Amino acid sequence: MSFLSKGIRWLKSQMDDPVEEESYEEPEREEGEDVPGPGAVPARTIRPLEVDIIVPGSYGDARHAVDALERGMTVMVVLNDNVDDEVASRFVDFMSGAVYMAHGDVMLLNDDVLICVPSTVDIHEDRLAFVSGIPTWKGP
């Protein structure tokens, strides 16, 4: 038997053997439990446009804002006259630390509005030059 015929026989034997497939067992689930499909995508990437607007009455409300940020939501904090300047300053510092830990981004729009976003959301500010003669919204 020649070297070539031995090589062809070996090659055929390699291709004829069935490949053993790994078995997959479904985990046991209770009745009514949601079953994620293959390649399921987290809900935050499907609905990234949800915003939680928080108007704090005290420093303790910072926990609600951080919990929403942890769930992957964008948080808009409105610091009007409902908190004094010292509490507002502490609130901004606390939220800045929480955003830093979440690898997110924070932007102070004006003296009253703070936007905090998780790492899955980018903030882009429109840097158009002010054009005189076009009315701007002053707010309530």
Side-chain angles (χ1 to χ4, degrees):
M1 185 180 275
S2 72
F3 178 74
L4 183 60
S5 62
K6 286 182 182 179
I8 292 174
R9 187 179 306 164
W10 177 82
L11 189 58
K12 284 183 180 179
S13 70
Q14 294 298 316
M15 293 192 184
D16 289 341
D17 290 342
V19 178
E20 293 182 24
E21 294 184 15
E22 295 182 19
S23 63
Y24 175 74
E25 295 180 18
E26 287 286 329
E28 294 182 23
R29 301 198 186 277
E30 294 183 20
E31 188 175 323
E33 187 177 357
D34 291 336
V35 179
V41 180
R44 284 295 115 215
T45 58
I46 295 172
R47 298 179 291 153
L49 300 176
E50 293 182 5
V51 177
D52 195 5
I53 299 173
I54 296 177
V55 182
S58 66
Y59 181 70
D61 292 336
R63 181 178 183 153
H64 301 294
V66 172
D67 288 343
L69 187 66
E70 184 181 15
R71 288 190 311 265
M73 296 181 71
T74 298
V75 178
M76 183 179 290
V77 181
V78 181
L79 300 167
N80 284 343
D81 297 331
N82 32 341
V83 291
D84 60 350
D85 290 340
E86 181 182 334
V87 172
S89 175
R90 290 178 58 205
F91 201 96
V92 170
D93 288 344
F94 186 80
M95 288 303 297
S96 297
V99 168
Y100 176 78
M101 291 302 294
H103 303 287
D105 197 10
V106 63
M107 178 183 285
L108 188 62
L109 290 182
N110 55 21
D111 294 339
D112 295 337
V113 180
L114 179 72
I115 295 181
C116 305
V117 297
S119 60
T120 57
V121 178
D122 290 332
I123 296 178
H124 297 286
E125 185 178 355
D126 192 9
R127 300 272 184 190
L128 294 177
F130 178 74
V131 179
S132 63
I134 297 176
T136 58
W137 184 65
K138 298 294 182 187

